[in-house]
Amino acid sequence: MSARLTTPPKHGHKSFLYSELADDLDTLQADIAVLGIPYGSAYSIEEVSNDQSNAPTAIRQASDRAVRALERYDFDIGGPLLMNKPIRMVDCGDVINDARDLGTSYRNAEAAVRKILKAGALPLILGGDHGIPIPVLRAYDDQEGPITLVHIDAHLDWRDEVNGVKDGYSSPIRRISEMDHVKDIFQIGIRAQGSARQEEVDAALAYGANIITAYELHDVGMDAVLERIPAGGRYYITIDADGMDPSVMPAVNGPALGGVTYHQARKLIHGLVNKGRVVGMDLVEITPAKDVNRISSIAACRLFVNLIGATIKAGYYER
């Protein structure tokens, strides 16, 4: 048997939303698989271990505030979480890192997602900083059909490098744009200032990225944004917590006013599930020490609840 890629969740709730633990990915049998990826690719030694690495645990710990019990009716999704169906949702634990070789995290993350996809399960990814979609999306290169990336963020994330690091949290969309299996890119909620300069904006526009600022979103509404996204696609959703309005997710390093509301994000998730096929989703960059009444982690759980419920209702797991 090959070496393990993940380790069980740390403490408290042993899994995300009461799911079954399944840290042996070689024998994985699941419809939905949760995977924590705590560590990204640091820009400095100070960032090797940052508070965002605690986010997968914090999100799991919010499970009983987001979903009180599996059998209870949930008005966000129109039924109980698993819709009274034999859906197998598992928690694969957190990707193992090695302090002596920081690239281990990305290599293990890519390998773990490949095993989840091989098992036919839908990956739900708990970050970690926003570098982690890079190894996650690499794992989709042998899947059927191109991927449309749908990105919620305050920031553009198109830097080619920072401090010589090309796969850090300022570069995920730039790196993903270079992947042959990714086609269209929609970036929603962009606002204020991040690491992007004019050259990064120019690079994104030259690629053909669809940049939808938060202000355009608020003016036209999420229904109009959904209409711009081609139907029948295979969608991967990446949500940076700072893309949400700080009233929804205050636990971020760079809060930016005027962000995506919970209602808008929920509508986007349901809309994508029903106009094509969502093939994965991550939520990244929650900084638990900065949270208020755990609302950021609870909101993260609730966004995943909406994806889970919507995909079950849409018949994703029927055989």
Side-chain angles (χ1 to χ4, degrees), residues 176-191:
I176 291 168
S177 75
E178 297 165 350
M179 299 180 188
D180 291 339
H181 55 287
V182 175
K183 185 180 179 184
D184 295 322
I185 294 177
F186 289 82
Q187 300 186 254
I188 303 169
I190 308 300
R191 61 196 187 279

Side-chain angles (χ1 to χ4, degrees), residues 151-226:
H151 170 217
I152 290 179
D153 205 325
H155 309 125
L156 199 62
D157 289 355
W158 272 81
R159 286 291 292 265
D160 185 47
E161 58 84 26
V162 175
N163 293 343
V165 178
K166 297 176 74 71
D167 54 4
Y169 56 79
S170 291
S171 302
I173 312 305
R174 183 71 165 257
R175 296 287 83 84
I176 291 168
S177 75
E178 297 165 350
M179 299 180 188
D180 291 339
H181 55 287
V182 175
K183 185 180 179 184
D184 295 322
I185 294 177
F186 289 82
Q187 300 186 254
I188 303 169
I190 308 300
R191 61 196 187 279
Q193 286 187 339
S195 65
R197 303 156 298 187
Q198 185 65 52
E199 60 196 86
E200 281 78 44
V201 177
D202 293 343
L205 293 174
Y207 174 85
N210 298 273
I211 301 171
I212 300 156
T213 67
Y215 312 111
E216 180 182 356
L217 168 64
H218 296 320
D219 284 344
V220 305
M222 187 59 81
D223 287 326
V225 172
L226 275 163

Side-chain angles (χ1 to χ4, degrees), residues 238-261:
T238 179
I239 301 177
D240 188 320
D242 64 38
M244 305 296 294
D245 191 74
S247 61
V248 181
M249 289 189 175
V252 297
N253 283 334
L257 302 179
V260 179
T261 68

